[in-house]
């Protein structure tokens, strides 16, 4: 009875105290796992981007990568190949990781010419070891696969069949190895020996330069196509365009904030929203709906029928099915934001399916990116007739004309 009275008294004292910043609103506990630290808040693990990537590596590789002093914001890819050097792609350049955490520019080529088969691989590994370069063993590759699949290959089987898996933070891990197929369908991915970790970076505000070109005088979003070679920032730019269209951008031309609209995103490769367990890891705006891991051609039609978007966004169009879905979207009155691989407007116009859309004037704005300077550098912007609206002074091909 005395104990119950003390508990009641304690509850009344706590109830009488005003809420302060020192009140315990949730339980938090700090965890240390090798070089990975995080805080658990209501079961959600909050980690820095660097640590989200490091946690999938075996302890020895994690230790080495934890010593690398390069700016993590500039890291684009980490590539692993069995019995080959561990590579870091940073700022568009390739570096080999050394055992002391330093980086070597390029990979020294072993002077081995007359050895064939496994003997050559072993000699290469010994040569790289003498040079202090980290090579990935089969055991390290296997352990990495287990970590990135949370020790459940069966649970990740569906994602692996598509050739990639997305981890917390939106980082996409591409895999290659032995596949088992039934007809034209990949049924299983086995003996994974090649991994490409594509580090996700969301750069909010990177589309500020182009937003004023993407709206009509009455505030309607214009059908937009972003053209870019690989690794030049087209997905990063599209991601920020989506966010601003959804939240409502402030353009210099209008001099005020344009109201945000509903945006439907078909994220076939989980690169835009970078959904992890269904939750977007990237901010795509408050009015954005995402179809994750859905084929573009099917997803565009599904969104029009079910979510009533005013703008639909897709990454890397190109197939005949994509073009048919785009025509369906246009006929339904939706605007479109899309990207495509290419090095110039002429290059895109030669593509059989997309070239027809260009000639029809389906895209009212076309943005060309190049790899000059930082990723996402805008070289040119054209209207639907091929007239130049913006051109970098260093780009010679930006001339007035028509398609």
């Amino acid at each position: 009875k005395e104990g119950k009275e003390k508990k009641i008294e304690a509850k009344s004292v706590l109830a009488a105290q005003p809420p302060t910043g020192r009140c315990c609103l949730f339980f938090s506990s700090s965890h240390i796992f090798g070089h990975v630290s995080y805080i658990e808040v209501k079961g959600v693990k909050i980690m820095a981007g660097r640590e989200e990537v490091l946690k999938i590596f075996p302890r020895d590789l994690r230790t080495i990568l934890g010593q690398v002093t390069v700016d993590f914001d500039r890291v684009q890819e980490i590539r692993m190949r069995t019995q080959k050097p561990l590579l870091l792609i940073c700022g568009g350049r390739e570096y080999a990781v050394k055992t002391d955490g330093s980086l070597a520019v390029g990979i020294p080529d072993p002077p081995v010419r007359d050895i064939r088969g496994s003997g050559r691989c072993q000699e290469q590994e010994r040569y790289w070891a003498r040079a202090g370069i980290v090579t990935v063993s089969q055991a390290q590759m296997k352990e990495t696969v287990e970590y990135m699949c949370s020790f459940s290959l069966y649970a990740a089987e569906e994602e692996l069949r598509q050739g990639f898996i997305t981890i917390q933070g939106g980082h996409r891990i591409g895999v290659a190895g032995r596949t088992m197929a039934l007809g034209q369908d990949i049924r299983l991915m086995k003996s994974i020996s090649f991994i490409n970790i594509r580090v996700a970076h969301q750069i909010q505000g990177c589309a500020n330069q182009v937003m004023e070109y993407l709206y009509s005088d009455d505030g309607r979003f214009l059908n937009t196509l972003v053209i870019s070679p690989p690794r030049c920032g087209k997905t990063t730019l599209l991601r920020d365009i989506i966010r601003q269209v959804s939240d409502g951008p402030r353009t210099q031309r209008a001099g005020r904030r344009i109201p945000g609209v509903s945006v439907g995103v078909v994220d076939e490769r989980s690169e835009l929203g970078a959904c992890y367990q269904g939750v977007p890891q990237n901010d795509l705006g408050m009015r954005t709906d995402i179809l994750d891991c859905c084929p573009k051609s099917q997803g565009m039609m599904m969104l029009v029928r079910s979510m009533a978007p005013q703008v639909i966004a897709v990454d890397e169009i190109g197939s005949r099915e994509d073009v048919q879905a785009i025509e369906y979207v246009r006929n339904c009155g939706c605007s479109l934001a899309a990207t495509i691989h290419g090095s110039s407007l002429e290059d895109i116009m030669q593509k059989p399916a997309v070239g027809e859309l260009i000639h029809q004037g389906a895209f009212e704005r076309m943005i060309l990116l190049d790899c000059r300077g930082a990723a996402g550098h805008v070289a040119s912007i054209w209207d639907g007739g091929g007239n130049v609206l913006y051109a970098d002074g260093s780009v010679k091909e930006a001339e007035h004309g028509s398609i």
Side-chain angles (χ1 to χ4, degrees):
K1 183 178 179 180
E2 184 180 354
K4 289 182 179 178
E5 290 175 351
K6 287 183 178 180
K7 287 180 180 178
I8 293 171
E9 182 181 356
K11 288 181 179 179
S12 63
V13 171
L14 287 173
Q17 291 178 347
T20 66
R22 300 182 64 180
C23 287
C24 183
L25 301 179
F26 48 77
F27 291 99
S28 65
S29 56
S30 178
H31 300 254
I32 304 293
F33 183 65
H35 284 274
V36 181
S37 62
Y38 55 87
I39 298 173
E40 186 169 315
V41 180
K42 291 185 178 180
V44 180
K45 299 173 183 177
I46 310 300
M47 292 175 286
R50 181 188 184 102
E51 294 173 333
E52 288 169 341
V53 175
L54 287 179
K55 70 172 186 173
I56 71 166
F57 291 97
R59 184 180 296 272
D60 48 356
L61 293 183
R62 194 185 313 139
T63 301
I64 294 171
L65 288 171
Q67 297 172 351
V68 175
T69 57
V70 70
D71 182 4
F72 184 76
D73 289 339
R74 299 180 64 242
V75 176
Q76 297 168 288
E77 297 177 0
I78 303 175
R79 287 190 171 267
M80 302 175 67
R81 299 178 176 94
T82 303
Q83 297 182 333
K84 296 294 186 288
L86 178 64
L87 301 179
L88 202 71
I89 312 299
C90 181
R93 299 188 65 181
E94 182 182 79
Y95 300 90
V97 180
K98 304 188 74 171
T99 53
D100 60 358
S102 61
L103 300 177
V105 180
I107 309 171
D109 187 21
V112 181
R113 304 300 180 196
D114 56 348
I115 302 177
R116 298 290 183 270
S118 61
R120 178 181 176 84
C121 293
Q122 293 171 3
E123 185 63 29
Q124 285 179 330
E125 285 190 88
R126 285 193 289 267
Y127 177 83
W128 286 321
R130 289 193 296 269
I133 292 176
V134 177
T135 55
V136 181
S137 67
Q138 288 182 323
Q140 290 170 332
M141 181 67 70
K142 181 180 179 182
E143 193 173 350
T144 300
V145 172
E146 290 175 346
Y147 277 131
M148 74 186 197
C149 296
S150 301
F151 295 93
S152 179
L153 282 173
Y154 177 78
E157 184 177 296
E158 186 64 30
E159 282 189 276
L160 291 175
R161 284 173 52 192
Q162 300 180 63
F164 68 90
I165 185 171
T166 304
I167 63 172
Q168 189 170 3
H171 311 288
R172 194 180 75 164
I173 305 175
V175 296
R178 183 185 177 191
T179 62
M180 300 185 68
L182 180 62
Q184 297 296 318
D185 297 328
I186 303 296
R187 308 304 300 173
L188 190 64
M189 176 79 72
K190 296 181 63 178
S191 303
I192 295 174
S193 301
F194 313 92
I195 291 178
N196 177 23
I197 299 133
R198 300 189 64 176
V199 182
H201 297 295
Q202 181 169 20
I203 305 176
Q204 294 193 356
C206 66
N208 290 350
Q209 178 185 2
V210 303
M211 293 307 296
E212 64 177 299
Y213 295 96
L214 306 186
Y215 283 87
S216 63
D217 293 336
D218 60 357
R220 180 181 66 87
F221 182 79
L222 302 171
N223 295 331
T224 301
L225 180 66
V226 179
I227 306 166
S228 169
R231 292 182 185 171
C232 286
K234 68 182 182 308
T235 302
T236 302
L237 181 66
L238 177 62
R239 189 183 296 126
D240 198 52
I241 290 174
I242 295 169
R243 181 187 64 84
Q244 296 202 41
V245 171
S246 177
D247 290 343
R250 182 183 296 277
T251 64
Q252 295 179 0
R253 180 183 301 176
R256 58 180 175 81
R257 183 175 295 278
I258 297 175
V261 298
S262 297
V263 181
V265 176
V266 186
D267 200 359
E268 185 171 10
R269 297 180 179 85
S270 294
E271 287 189 291
L272 294 170
C275 292
Y276 175 73
Q277 296 181 351
V279 180
Q281 303 295 291
N282 293 324
D283 179 12
L284 294 188
M286 68 177 80
R287 300 178 182 86
T288 300
D289 306 304
I290 303 173
L291 272 178
D292 188 44
C293 294
C294 179
K296 291 186 287 291
S297 57
Q298 299 177 36
M300 284 187 270
M301 297 183 184
M302 289 173 62
L303 284 173
V304 170
R305 294 165 183 164
S306 60
M307 303 306 293
Q310 292 171 266
V311 177
I312 285 184
V314 291
D315 196 18
E316 297 183 9
I317 62 171
S319 69
R320 176 65 64 178
E321 291 77 12
D322 293 345
V323 171
Q324 292 174 350
I326 289 171
E327 291 175 342
Y328 175 82
V329 168
R330 291 176 59 212
N331 291 334
C332 291
C334 294
S335 297
L336 183 75
T339 70
I340 189 171
H341 279 299
S343 57
S344 66
L345 183 57
E346 290 75 16
D347 182 25
I348 301 304
M349 291 173 62
Q350 292 176 4
K351 296 181 182 291
V354 180
E356 296 176 9
L357 288 177
I358 302 292
H359 284 289
Q360 294 170 10
F363 293 104
E364 299 160 287
R365 293 292 184 268
M366 292 169 286
I367 304 171
L368 175 65
L369 305 182
D370 61 24
C371 296
R372 298 169 184 262
H377 176 259
V378 179
S380 301
I381 301 177
W382 297 275
D383 65 11
N387 299 308
V388 177
L389 304 178
Y390 168 87
D392 186 330
S394 61
V395 181
K396 296 181 180 179
E397 68 172 344
E399 298 177 352
H400 290 273
S402 59
I403 296 177

